[in-house]
Amino acid sequence: MYKLLLATNDQAVRDAFAAIAWENMGFKQPRLAASAQEALESLRAYHADAIAVALPAEEDAALIEALLSAYPDLPVVAAPARRGEAEGYVLELRRLLLRLNADISNDDYTIADQMMVCRHEFFRALMDRRIPTGKDVERLLRLVRSKMDPHRPCVVAELTMPVGSDFLKGRWHYGPERLEMALRNIFGVEVAGLRILSCVLPGERIVLLGCPMLHHQLETAENSMTGVVSSHVQDCIDHVDEYLGIDLSISAMHVLPALTAMARDKAI
């Protein structure tokens, strides 16, 4: 059974979590911590598969920063005060934990490897505008332990192949997933305080995201982020052409006020 640590001093949250039928959901009764310090002490003393957090803003920020360095792959779950909402989040956590601990390959995949796969799936859904709301974006970023900052401006770029190109349907025989992996290896990097990600979306759309990292200072002003991303993408396009034989170009690039602006209920 999975072990959950509940970090909160809110009695309504504790009551909502106490009402959940934990064994039926594959969990032991959660261990409790009333503060960020107690939560960290508990994690050092006892194993936990995930942590649910509902703390005041200052303590919440301190705990998340500590978890980034000490427990970077420990799922962090929102802890609401409504039982139905809490159960929904726990079910979502259970699905993630099943993925992280699944033995589906002969390869030696670690939990960190599996979490990275889950992060890529989240960002693919985000860049395809399939995450419902900005609050869902923030919640899921924590759940999959992304280090991307959801509250700072970010850059989105779209790449296109020449009209009539038959690369994906002709010369490339490995599917969009393998192409996305190849492009991630070329485009994916941290540059000037920005993390660059790439995704291949339905309709042969290639989308790149440049976003500041949590607790990282940008090495450039926000109004010149497009220049940093554009320069990096142009350099990578040359490598893509050389190694994969794809002729790509930037068709659009814009700055969003935050990652949450990529939610489905927002207009870009």
Side-chain angles (χ1 to χ4, degrees), residues 222-237:
E222 289 176 353
N223 60 9
S224 64
M225 286 195 303
T226 53
V228 171
V229 174
S230 178
S231 177
H232 172 70
V233 170
Q234 290 293 351
D235 289 342
C236 290
I237 281 175

Side-chain angles (χ1 to χ4, degrees), residues 38-243:
E38 282 188 22
L40 292 171
E41 290 173 353
S42 178
L43 289 173
R44 286 191 287 267
Y46 304 101
H47 171 75
D49 295 295
I51 179 170
V53 180
L55 292 170
E58 188 173 335
E59 278 200 89
D60 179 282
L63 178 57
I64 294 302
E65 185 172 0
L67 292 175
L68 279 173
S69 58
Y71 304 95
D73 299 307
L74 184 72
V76 177
V77 187
R82 291 184 295 180
R83 178 182 172 181
E85 191 176 10
E87 285 182 339
Y89 291 171
V90 172
L91 284 172
E92 192 173 57
L93 169 64
R94 183 174 180 272
R95 289 193 292 270
L96 175 64
L97 291 174
L98 287 171
R99 288 282 308 278
L100 296 181
N101 294 280
D103 184 13
I104 58 175
S105 171
N106 292 327
D107 297 322
D108 294 327
Y109 284 116
T110 65
I111 285 181
D113 295 327
Q114 298 281 35
M115 184 66 93
M116 186 178 296
V117 171
C118 292
R119 279 196 292 272
H120 285 310
E121 291 177 354
F122 163 75
F123 277 105
R124 189 181 302 114
L126 177 64
M127 294 159 80
D128 199 28
R129 305 295 301 278
R130 288 186 278 120
I131 306 300
T133 69
K135 287 189 175 181
D136 290 318
V137 173
E138 295 181 47
R139 178 175 58 80
L140 293 170
L141 279 169
R142 282 192 169 189
L143 183 64
V144 297
R145 298 311 309 278
S146 170
K147 295 181 180 179
M148 307 281 256
D149 192 329
H151 302 123
R152 295 160 73 186
C154 58
V155 178
V156 177
E158 295 215 21
L159 306 184
T160 56
M161 289 177 272
V163 175
S165 171
D166 66 345
F167 179 82
L168 284 174
K169 296 178 181 177
R171 291 175 290 149
W172 184 261
H173 304 290
Y174 308 105
E177 294 83 6
R178 291 284 296 275
L179 176 60
E180 180 176 282
M181 184 178 297
L183 293 177
R184 282 205 309 260
N185 290 335
I186 295 174
F187 286 101
V189 72
E190 289 182 28
V191 55
L194 296 172
R195 176 65 177 164
I196 311 294
L197 299 175
S198 60
C199 288
V200 178
L201 303 178
E204 301 182 0
R205 294 174 57 219
I206 299 174
V207 181
L208 276 78
L209 170 67
C211 181
M213 308 289 283
L214 289 166
H215 312 299
H216 280 58
Q217 292 296 323
L218 285 178
E219 297 174 19
T220 182
E222 289 176 353
N223 60 9
S224 64
M225 286 195 303
T226 53
V228 171
V229 174
S230 178
S231 177
H232 172 70
V233 170
Q234 290 293 351
D235 289 342
C236 290
I237 281 175
D238 293 337
H239 291 293
V240 171
D241 189 18
E242 179 180 357
Y243 293 109

